């Protein structure tokens, strides 16, 4: 009997002790799991705190300011320049002159900017503006011409290539009316080019209502300054080109008469600041056919350029009643860059000889493929030279010295001179 009791007790211990051991182990493992999960939660909270700490107070304040500006004025009011999706190159419209497009460095007039063309009388200012209108119409755009001088010739515009059926024309009564028309057209966002001819003819209404001989101090300058302040924002949004044609006046020196008269433009100084491109156009000669004068030799100096290096020049021929002779400037550039060889009055292009410039021009007019091929070669040559000069100007100087020419020395110009004086020196 005692033996049976001992066997029963040992059997009981063998059956119940492992379960207790197992439950103990499970309790310890559960506790360890709870401890580990608490540790993970703690580590996650520490990670978020560290991220908040990584952003400095300065960054948090800047982000709060950006969010407040966006909420107040709308999305896109303020952005990071390098992170925003914007075109790297400004869209342009050709000027109608191949050499002038190359001199501007970007291929034409930039959209959404103000352009000023100034120069003496009969130098080709209006003709150049009409060429820009013709090029914009070829791209399918609408254009407007504000004729403040009341002197636009429709026959000349049609000969140049302007589609007068789709050209908006206005001949305003006063300067305020003209600039209000310009503001309305630009805000519509449907016009690609607006030409104002000219700033000198934008007479303020107060001057028109007054008597002849009354003094009106800086009335036109204030009008232009106010108009450009209003137009600058809407102009960039509509991607319209605003071209101001301006006249020049002689300003007499008042300090002892040194230096003589200086050429200045009308309408004050506001247009000089708001214009992205300023062109000074002058007539330097005549184009003759026998004894008859059939055109003018014109030089254009890029006085100001916000999109490429300024103070470059372009020469071309303006034929009376026809406009810019594109073939003549291609021939001149081809001879200069040795794509065309010239000996006396004979021109050689790819083995073909032409006697006289007029015969060569007639050949290029009839053979569009030869003209386009020559233009492509010139464009590659000139643009490649500009890119090399921007990347490594020392290599350009070394190439000039190897070819036997003298390297160009740098000259410091006084800061008191105007941009017109600098362009004249160049």
């Amino acid at each position: 009997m005692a033996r049976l009791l001992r066997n029963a007790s040992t059997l009981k211990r063998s059956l119940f002790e492992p379960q207790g051991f197992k439950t103990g182990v499970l309790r310890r493992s559960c506790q360890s799991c709870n401890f580990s999960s608490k540790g993970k939660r703690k580590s996650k909270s520490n990670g978020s705190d560290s991220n908040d700490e990584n952003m400095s107070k300065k960054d948090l304040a800047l982000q709060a300011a950006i969010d407040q500006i966006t909420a107040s004025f709308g999305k896109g009011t303020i952005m990071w320049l390098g992170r925003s999706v914007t075109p790297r190159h400004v869209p342009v419209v050709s000027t109608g002159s191949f050499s002038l497009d190359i001199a501007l460095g970007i291929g034409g007039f930039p959209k959404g900017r103000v352009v000023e063309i100034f120069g003496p009388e009969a130098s080709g200012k209006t003709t150049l503006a009409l060429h820009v209108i013709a090029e914009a119409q070829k791209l399918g755009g609408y254009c407007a011409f504000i004729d403040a001088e009341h002197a636009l010739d429709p026959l000349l515009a049609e000969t140049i290539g302007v589609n007068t059926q789709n050209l908006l024309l206005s001949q305003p009564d006063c300067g305020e009316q003209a600039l209000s028309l310009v503001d309305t057209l630009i805000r519509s966002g449907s016009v690609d080019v607006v030409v104002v001819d000219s700033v000198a003819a934008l007479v303020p209404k107060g001057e028109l209502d007054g008597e002849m001989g009354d003094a009106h101090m800086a009335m036109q300058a204030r009008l232009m300054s106010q108009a450009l302040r209003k137009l600058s924002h809407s102009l960039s949004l509509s991607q319209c080109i605003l071209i101001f044609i301006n006249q020049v006046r002689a300003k007499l020196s008042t300090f002892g008469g040194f230096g003589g008269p200086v050429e200045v433009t009308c309408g004050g100084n506001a247009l000089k600041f708001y214009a992205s491109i300023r062109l000074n156009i002058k007539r330097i000669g005549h184009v003759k056919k026998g004894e008859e004068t059939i055109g003018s030799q014109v030089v254009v100096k890029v006085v100001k350029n916000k999109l490429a290096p300024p103070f470059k020049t372009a020469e071309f021929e303006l034929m009376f009643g026809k406009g810019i002779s594109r073939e003549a400037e291609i021939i001149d550039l081809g001879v200069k860059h040795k794509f065309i060889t010239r000996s006396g009055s004979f021109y050689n292009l790819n083995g073909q000889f032409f006697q006289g410039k007029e015969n060569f021009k007639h050949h290029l007019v009839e053979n569009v493929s030869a003209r386009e091929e020559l233009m492509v070669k010139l464009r590659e040559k000139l643009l490649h030279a500009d890119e090399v000069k921007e990347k490594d100007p020392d290599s350009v100087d070394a190439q000039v010295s190897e070819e036997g020419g003298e390297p160009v020395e740098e000259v410091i110009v006084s800061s008191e001179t105007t941009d017109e004086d600098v362009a004249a020196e160049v």
Side-chain angles (χ1 to χ4, degrees):
M1 189 68 182
R3 185 179 295 175
L4 290 174
L5 289 175
R6 282 197 301 270
N7 292 334
S9 62
T10 54
L11 180 62
K12 186 177 180 180
R13 282 199 300 270
S14 63
L15 289 175
F16 291 104
E17 281 181 1
Q19 289 181 358
F21 178 75
K22 289 179 182 178
T23 55
V25 171
L26 288 174
R27 284 175 185 173
R28 291 191 189 96
S29 64
C30 291
Q31 288 177 359
S32 64
C33 290
N34 291 332
F35 286 140
S36 63
S37 61
K38 288 180 182 179
K40 288 181 181 178
R41 290 171 189 168
K42 193 172 182 180
S43 64
K44 286 183 180 178
S45 62
N46 290 336
S48 61
D49 293 339
S50 63
N51 289 332
D52 293 338
E53 289 175 358
N54 288 334
M55 290 185 66
S56 63
K57 294 181 179 179
K58 193 174 182 180
D59 296 335
L60 293 172
L62 177 60
Q63 187 61 41
I66 292 173
D67 294 340
Q68 183 179 356
I69 292 170
T70 304
S72 301
F73 302 104
K75 187 177 180 181
T77 306
I78 188 169
M79 65 191 77
W80 298 101
L81 179 61
R83 305 177 192 175
S84 59
V85 183
T86 54
R88 294 290 181 183
H89 300 286
V90 179
V92 297
V93 173
S94 174
T95 61
S97 169
F98 180 78
S99 57
L100 184 55
D101 290 344
I102 298 297
L104 288 170
I106 54 175
F109 287 164
K111 291 186 177 182
R113 304 295 183 102
V114 179
V115 179
E116 182 186 7
I117 304 172
F118 65 95
E121 72 283 355
S123 56
K125 302 183 293 295
T126 305
T127 304
L128 181 58
L130 289 174
H131 272 283
V132 177
I133 290 176
E135 294 295 330
Q137 287 182 338
K138 289 177 183 177
L139 299 175
Y142 291 100
C143 303
F145 195 95
I146 311 300
D147 187 20
E149 293 183 353
H150 298 252
L152 179 64
D153 186 6
L155 295 177
L156 175 63
E158 290 179 356
T159 306
I160 288 173
V162 176
N163 184 4
T164 55
Q165 300 293 328
N166 292 329
L167 177 65
L168 294 170
L169 175 66
S170 175
Q171 294 180 333
D173 299 327
C174 59
E176 287 85 354
Q177 181 182 348
L179 294 171
S180 297
L181 285 170
V182 172
D183 187 25
T184 305
L185 289 172
I186 291 175
R187 287 180 184 274
S188 69
S190 58
V191 181
D192 295 313
V193 177
V194 177
V195 177
V196 179
D197 187 14
S198 64
V199 175
L202 297 177
V203 186
K205 190 175 181 180
E207 186 174 343
L208 290 174
D209 296 338
E211 296 293 332
M212 193 71 70
D214 291 348
H216 303 278
M217 295 298 294
M219 189 177 292
Q220 190 183 37
R222 290 198 300 271
L223 175 63
M224 287 295 298
S225 180
Q226 182 185 12
L228 289 168
R229 286 197 301 269
K230 291 185 66 176
L231 291 171
S232 59
H233 176 65
S234 57
L235 193 65
S236 63
L237 293 178
S238 64
Q239 292 294 296
C240 173
I241 302 174
L242 179 57
I243 301 174
F244 283 102
I245 298 173
N246 210 344
Q247 301 175 6
V248 293
R249 300 286 186 269
K251 179 180 179 182
L252 299 177
S253 177
T254 56
F255 298 99
F258 297 102
V262 180
E263 283 189 352
V264 293
T265 53
C266 305
N269 293 327
L271 185 55
K272 294 181 181 180
F273 290 97
Y274 282 95
S276 295
I277 292 176
R278 301 185 70 224
L279 301 179
N280 186 5
I281 181 170
K282 291 182 179 180
R283 182 173 58 190
I284 59 173
H286 299 283
V287 180
K288 290 189 176 182
K289 188 177 182 179
E291 295 296 328
E292 182 185 2
T293 303
I294 60 173
S296 300
Q297 185 73 19
V298 171
V299 60
V300 179
K301 297 179 181 178
V302 184
V303 176
K304 179 182 177 182
N305 195 348
K306 287 186 176 181
L307 297 136
F311 305 123
K312 294 185 178 181
T313 60
E315 291 187 15
F316 50 85
E317 295 179 3
L318 282 179
M319 311 306 292
F320 296 149
K322 297 180 181 179
I324 297 173
S325 177
R326 199 177 184 92
E327 291 77 20
E329 61 179 346
I330 291 173
I331 292 172
D332 294 336
L333 288 172
V335 171
K336 181 179 179 181
H337 295 282
K338 300 179 180 179
F339 291 110
I340 300 171
T341 57
R342 177 183 177 183
S343 58
S345 62
F346 287 90
Y347 294 87
N348 180 10
L349 175 63
N350 298 328
Q352 295 181 345
F353 289 90
F354 305 93
Q355 184 178 7
K357 194 173 184 179
E358 290 298 324
N359 292 331
F360 197 4
K361 287 164 62 175
H362 185 67
H363 171 74
L364 291 178
V365 170
E366 292 181 349
N367 294 274
V368 181
S369 60
R371 184 182 61 189
E372 293 295 330
E373 182 183 355
L374 188 56
M375 288 174 61
V376 169
K377 290 180 181 179
L378 287 170
R379 188 177 286 110
E380 289 178 356
K381 171 84 173 180
L382 296 172
L383 293 179
H384 178 69
D386 290 339
E387 290 175 359
V388 171
K389 189 181 292 184
E390 289 178 1
K391 291 179 180 178
D392 193 3
D394 296 334
S395 64
V396 177
D397 295 337
Q399 183 178 359
V400 170
S401 61
E402 288 177 2
E403 292 175 356
E406 296 181 357
V408 181
E409 296 183 357
E410 295 182 357
V411 179
I412 299 175
V413 182
S414 174
S415 60
E416 296 179 357
T417 58
T418 60
D419 46 7
E420 288 89 350
D421 298 335
V422 175
E425 292 180 5
V426 173

